[in-house]
Amino acid sequence: MKDMQAQLEKLRRDAAECALIRDLATDPKKRELFTRLAEHLAVLASAVEQAKGENTRSEMTADLPPRP
């Protein structure tokens, strides 16, 4: 779980960095490229966050007694 958190944080940092580069870029093509990269990394971060949440829920339900 700690590894997933580390990956999530890295994806968020990378997305923020791409957004910063996009904001500083003067070339429209580079701006477009870094916009797409930032958006893609944000989507990946969301997917990791969702998987992490699902993993946490499944770990919690594993501790519950079976239903009759």
Side-chain angles (χ1 to χ4, degrees):
M1 187 62 87
K2 288 181 184 179
D3 187 45
M4 286 181 83
Q5 183 64 34
Q7 290 300 317
L8 177 59
E9 290 170 8
K10 182 176 182 344
L11 286 168
R12 286 182 177 156
R13 276 193 314 271
D14 290 348
E17 188 173 329
C18 285
L20 177 63
I21 293 169
R22 173 204 59 212
D23 294 344
L24 297 173
T26 56
D27 182 351
K29 289 191 184 273
K30 286 184 182 178
R31 218 176 297 135
E32 181 184 333
L33 171 66
F34 282 98
T35 296
R36 284 186 285 138
L37 284 171
E39 290 171 353
H40 183 68
L41 289 167
V43 168
L44 291 174
S46 294
V48 170
E49 191 169 33
Q50 183 178 7
K52 185 179 167 213
E54 290 170 2
N55 191 18
T56 301
R57 281 190 294 278
S58 67
E59 286 176 1
M60 282 191 231
T61 57
D63 293 338
L64 295 175
R67 290 184 169 193

